[in-house]
Amino acid sequence: MHILVSGGLGFIGSHTVVELLNHGHQVTIIDNLYNARLETLDRIKTITGKDVAFYQVDATITSDVRSICDKNHFDGIIHFAGYKAVGESVLKPLMYYHNNVLSTMTLLSEALRHQINRFIFSSSATVYGDGVSPFRESDPLKETTNPYGETKKMSERILTDTQKANPDLS
């Protein structure tokens, strides 16, 4: 399978890319390098012995994401391209809403446009409120306590509504 990984040079994204490559998948990474370093790409190649297509683009920019999707046939998208610092989200809420919600909408729109029916979203336990873990994905979404959590909750809702309208999307 050919997988598009947004935020693929971040901590969780890069580890996921290594595992995908080690399991025989082809991977293309998009990352704007806000929370990542370009050197991670070399480390991925060193660990796996495999080349990875990389585009330094922002997942909120539809024309850039569309261009990459037009040039490739992706079987799935794994979306890690989200800002993640709770404290920063409180100080810069608009930046978080713009990046986290818009990147989800952009990637999801291109998935639908290109008939990419597998979409994995990196969410957060914050969408389940202040309860005690472990949480299940079937648990109801609850009140969040910061803009970061709210962006994840909004993205969850967008994904749920889109999947209901497009049952082939999993």
Side-chain angles (χ1 to χ4, degrees), residues 99-152:
N99 183 76
N100 293 2
V101 176
L102 186 54
S103 64
T104 300
M105 292 173 60
T106 299
L107 289 163
L108 188 56
S109 293
E110 290 308 305
L112 292 172
R113 186 173 186 273
H114 290 87
Q115 298 179 337
I116 304 167
N117 293 327
R118 296 173 183 94
F119 194 101
I120 297 173
F121 172 64
S122 178
S123 191
S124 170
T126 62
V127 301
Y128 302 114
D130 290 332
V132 178
S133 66
F135 300 108
R136 292 183 314 268
E137 285 191 49
S138 59
D139 289 345
L141 303 182
K142 299 205 176 146
E143 186 69 28
T144 60
T145 59
N146 54 70
Y148 162 75
E150 197 61 29
T151 67
K152 293 295 187 171

Side-chain angles (χ1 to χ4, degrees), residues 58-112:
D58 190 313
T60 66
I61 300 174
T62 300
S63 60
D64 290 346
V65 175
R66 180 168 294 162
S67 176
I68 293 163
C69 289
D70 286 347
K71 293 175 188 171
N72 296 275
H73 170 76
F74 295 114
D75 299 295
I77 296 174
I78 302 177
H79 176 30
F80 293 112
Y83 296 160
K84 61 183 175 16
V86 170
E88 183 180 56
S89 80
V90 173
L91 297 173
K92 300 175 181 177
L94 289 178
M95 182 176 90
Y96 272 68
Y97 283 106
H98 176 83
N99 183 76
N100 293 2
V101 176
L102 186 54
S103 64
T104 300
M105 292 173 60
T106 299
L107 289 163
L108 188 56
S109 293
E110 290 308 305
L112 292 172

Side-chain angles (χ1 to χ4, degrees), residues 144-165:
T144 60
T145 59
N146 54 70
Y148 162 75
E150 197 61 29
T151 67
K152 293 295 187 171
K153 184 174 152 185
M154 291 172 108
S155 292
E156 290 271 1
R157 184 57 192 245
I158 290 165
L159 288 161
T160 297
D161 290 345
T162 303
Q163 196 280 323
K164 285 179 183 174

